[in-house]
């Protein structure tokens, strides 16, 4: 009996066969408000191995165009290792095989990946190792890559966090260097204590201009 | 929504390329109004910047999940209520290559249309035997598979008489952070599909159709579950493309 599919399936081809034309992508959809029991994990924002002496804290607020905090956003972070490597390591989400409970990381390995929901005040906190530039790109300034998901965002937003102590590298960074100063500033974390940085995400410029919209990125 | 779809059709007829993703600003979906950037995104050309951090991505492995994560009907002592489903398909990149060993996560409402989330106060019963969250890694052919139950439709307050069609949320990682995707899978023949502004935010009908799974009788297990097939194509450059010179 023939398969009762209702539309052509790209998977009909043999694995690895070259397509005639690029396949059309699956469209993005909002994460919605109710991802909280599925995606976040204990220790999701603890990228630095437990007790690591170099640990830095990056924290901030996600705001919308009315200036209101966004309590149902999820931020993901990805960064190069301390040696500039971009290989990452498994173990960010770790489940207990006995109970199935989410137990977070093993506390020893640096995986390079973090995932944090915002709280009721729109705040997030990340503990990680200082950002580095990828090994193959000595001209880039150290930074974290960020994906922003939220109810109301039909397609996530990508941005970056750069750090103020790398003033020379930041001035030469291929992305920062081509942005006007007031725009580049939105990608720069502000030191607000020893090993502590504030980085806010402004999804949309507020009408009164109080908060400059964060620079968001597209990759082509 | 009808006016925006008609406008999109006129644009396509006029030769404009059909948008593959929803616009971030789609007023019929009310929450998008104050949450979309006004300024254009700043483009990074992956060919000019092949070492960008985003052209690599996090790694996930067997320690990140357990075997039971992919079967949402076996995570509690009892059987969940609802029509049992097998949902499977392949994750491919735009070159048609399977995306292997990558994390796929899903979450969904229970059979009566309620999420196991404190802020979901829709007065439909919670199911003590269903949480609605699952994970798996794609295999060597890029295949994922979940066993679950059919989620129910539920009301939301976006507009008068707003009901979300049944859907399963999917979160996918490719081989690069640029391929990251969060999306929703819908069910064929759902009468609510034309009324939903979240699905409707994808203004090209062909692109909308890519969000609807196909019923597949060969995947249907006798006396057990109904089978749906849904393939996912990840957008965005991956480091592999550059390395292979494609």
């Amino acid at each position: 009996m023939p398969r009762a599919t209702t539309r052509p399936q790209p998977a009909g081809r043999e694995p690895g066969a070259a397509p005639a034309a690029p396949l059309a992508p699956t469209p993005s959809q909002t994460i919605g408000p109710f991802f909280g029991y599925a995606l976040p994990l204990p220790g999701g924002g603890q990228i630095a191995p437990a007790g690591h002496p170099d640990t830095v804290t990056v924290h901030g607020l996600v705001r919308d165009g009315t200036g209101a905090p966004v309590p149902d956003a999820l931020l993901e972070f990805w960064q190069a290792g301390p040696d500039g490597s971009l290989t990452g390591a498994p173990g960010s989400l770790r489940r207990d095989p006995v109970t199935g409970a989410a137990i977070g990381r093993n506390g020893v390995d640096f995986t390079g990946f973090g995932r944090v929901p915002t709280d009721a005040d729109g705040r997030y906190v990340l503990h990680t190792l200082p950002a580095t530039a990828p090994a193959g790109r000595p001209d880039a300034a150290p930074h974290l890559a960020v994906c922003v998901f939220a109810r109301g965002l039909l397609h996530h937003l990508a941005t970056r966090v750069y750090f103020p102590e790398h003033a020379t590298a930041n001035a030469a960074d291929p992305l920062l260097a081509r942005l006007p100063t007031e725009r580049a500033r939105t990608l720069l974390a502000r030191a607000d204590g020893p090993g502590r940085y504030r980085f806010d995400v402004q999804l949309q410029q507020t009408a009164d201009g109080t908060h400059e919209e964060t620079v968001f990125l597209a990759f082509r | 929504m009808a006016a925006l779809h008609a406008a999109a059709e006129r644009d396509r007829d006029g030769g404009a390329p059909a948008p593959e993703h929803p616009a971030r600003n789609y007023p019929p979906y009310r929450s998008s109004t104050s949450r979309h950037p006004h300024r254009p995104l700043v483009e990074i050309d992956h060919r000019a910047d092949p070492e960008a951090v985003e052209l690599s991505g996090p790694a996930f492995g067997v320690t990140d999940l357990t075997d039971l994560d992919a079967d949402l009907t076996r995570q509690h002592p009892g059987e969940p209520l609802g029509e049992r489903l097998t949902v499977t398909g392949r994750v491919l990149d735009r070159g048609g290559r399977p995306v292997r060993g990558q994390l796929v996560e899903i979450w969904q409402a229970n059979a009566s249309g309620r999420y196991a989330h404190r802020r979901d106060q829709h007065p439909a019963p919670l199911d003590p035997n269903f949480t609605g969250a699952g994970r798996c890694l794609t295999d060597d052919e890029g295949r994922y598979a979940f066993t679950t139950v059919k989620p129910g439709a539920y009301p939301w307050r976006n507009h008068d008489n707003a009901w979300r069609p049944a859907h399963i949320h999917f979160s996918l990682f490719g081989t690069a952070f640029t391929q990251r995707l969060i999306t929703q899978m819908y069910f064929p023949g759902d009468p609510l599909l034309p009324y939903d502004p979240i699905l409707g935010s994808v203004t090209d009908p062909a692109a909308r159709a890519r969000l609807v799974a196909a019923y597949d009788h060969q995947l249907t297990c006798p006396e057990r579950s109904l089978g749906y097939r849904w393939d996912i194509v990840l957008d965005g450059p991956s480091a592999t493309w550059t390395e292979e010179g494609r």
Side-chain angles (χ1 to χ4, degrees), chain A residues 76-78 134 137 140-148 157-163 173-176 178-179 183-189 199-201 214-219, chain B residues 44-45 49 51-55 177-178:
Chain A
E76 287 185 348
F77 297 86
W78 168 239
R137 262 199 44 192
H143 60 270
L144 311 177
V146 189
C147 274
V148 183
L157 291 164
T159 185
R160 288 179 176 177
V161 189
Y162 288 84
F163 294 86
D173 182 82
L175 170 63
L176 292 181
R178 67 185 166 105
L179 296 172
R183 300 288 290 141
R185 202 178 294 134
T186 70
L187 299 183
L188 215 54
F199 179 79
D200 291 348
V201 176
T214 302
V215 167
F216 297 108
L217 306 172
F219 296 86
Chain B
I44 293 183
D45 181 348
D49 195 359
E51 306 287 340
V53 170
E54 292 87 353
L55 293 175
F177 218 40
T178 51

Side-chain angles (χ1 to χ4, degrees), chain B residues 182-203:
Chain B
I182 284 185
T183 187
Q184 302 181 25
M185 183 202 97
Y186 299 88
F187 291 86
D190 189 326
L192 293 169
L193 295 181
Y195 304 102
D196 181 43
I198 293 181
L199 175 61
S201 68
V202 181
T203 52

Side-chain angles (χ1 to χ4, degrees), chain A residues 15-82:
Chain A
L23 299 178
T26 303
S28 169
Q29 293 271 271
T30 178
I31 192 172
F34 297 137
F35 55 83
Y37 61 90
L39 298 181
L41 262 112
Q46 183 74 43
I47 306 182
H52 197 292
D54 298 338
T55 303
V56 295
T57 299
V58 180
H59 71 107
L61 181 62
V62 181
R63 269 191 230 93
D64 68 14
T66 70
V70 176
D72 41 17
L74 182 81
L75 304 186
E76 287 185 348
F77 297 86
W78 168 239
Q79 66 183 101

Side-chain angles (χ1 to χ4, degrees), chain A residues 1-7 9-19 21-41 64-66 69-72 74 76-80 86-97 100 111 113 115 132 134 136-137 143-147 149-157 159-160 174-175 178-179 182-183 203-205 212-220, chain B residues 20-26 29 31-47 49 51-54 56-61 63-66 69 90 92-98 103 105-109 115-117 119-120 131-133 135 141 154 164 169 171 173 177-178 180-184 186 188 196-199 201-202 207-218 229-237:
Chain A
M1 201 195 232
R3 198 179 264 181
T5 51
T6 56
R7 67 189 171 99
Q9 296 294 314
R13 273 196 321 277
E14 287 305 304
L23 299 178
T26 303
S28 169
Q29 293 271 271
T30 178
I31 192 172
F34 297 137
F35 55 83
Y37 61 90
L39 298 181
L41 262 112
D64 68 14
T66 70
V70 176
D72 41 17
L74 182 81
E76 287 185 348
F77 297 86
W78 168 239
Q79 66 183 101
L86 285 167
T87 50
S92 302
L93 308 177
R94 218 168 168 81
R95 303 294 295 253
D96 183 316
T111 68
F113 176 71
R115 176 187 271 175
T132 54
R137 262 199 44 192
H143 60 270
L144 311 177
V146 189
C147 274
F149 303 91
R151 172 179 60 89
L153 268 184
L154 288 157
H155 198 168
H156 67 266
L157 291 164
T159 185
R160 288 179 176 177
L175 170 63
R178 67 185 166 105
L179 296 172
E182 75 280 7
R183 300 288 290 141
L203 296 178
Q204 183 182 89
Q205 170 102 39
E212 173 77 20
E213 186 174 297
T214 302
V215 167
F216 297 108
L217 306 172
F219 296 86
R220 306 268 189 255
Chain B
E20 292 171 329
H21 290 283
R24 289 184 174 81
N25 178 24
Y26 189 70
Y29 174 34
S31 306
S32 74
T33 315
S34 61
R35 292 185 168 192
H36 70 277
H38 284 160
R39 292 178 181 265
L41 305 190
V42 174
E43 287 200 13
I44 293 183
D45 181 348
H46 76 283
R47 286 157 306 188
D49 195 359
E51 306 287 340
V53 170
E54 292 87 353
S56 58
F60 300 97
T63 56
D64 290 303
L65 60 176
T66 69
D69 284 359
R90 288 178 66 206
L92 305 168
D93 68 14
R94 294 198 64 174
R97 286 173 290 259
L103 183 70
E105 296 163 282
I106 65 169
W107 69 101
Q108 62 171 92
Y115 287 96
H117 190 292
R119 287 185 54 224
D120 185 356
T131 304
R135 286 196 178 122
E141 294 186 345
Y154 57 83
R164 295 281 348 258
H169 294 265
S171 164
F173 288 83
F177 218 40
T178 51
R180 188 81 178 85
L181 176 71
I182 284 185
T183 187
Q184 302 181 25
Y186 299 88
D196 181 43
I198 293 181
L199 175 61
S201 68
V202 181
R208 269 201 306 282
R210 295 199 291 275
L211 292 176
V212 182
Y215 173 69
D216 187 334
H217 201 63
Q218 300 216 332
R229 185 178 297 280
W230 190 53
D231 293 328
I232 299 160
V233 177
L234 299 183
D235 202 357

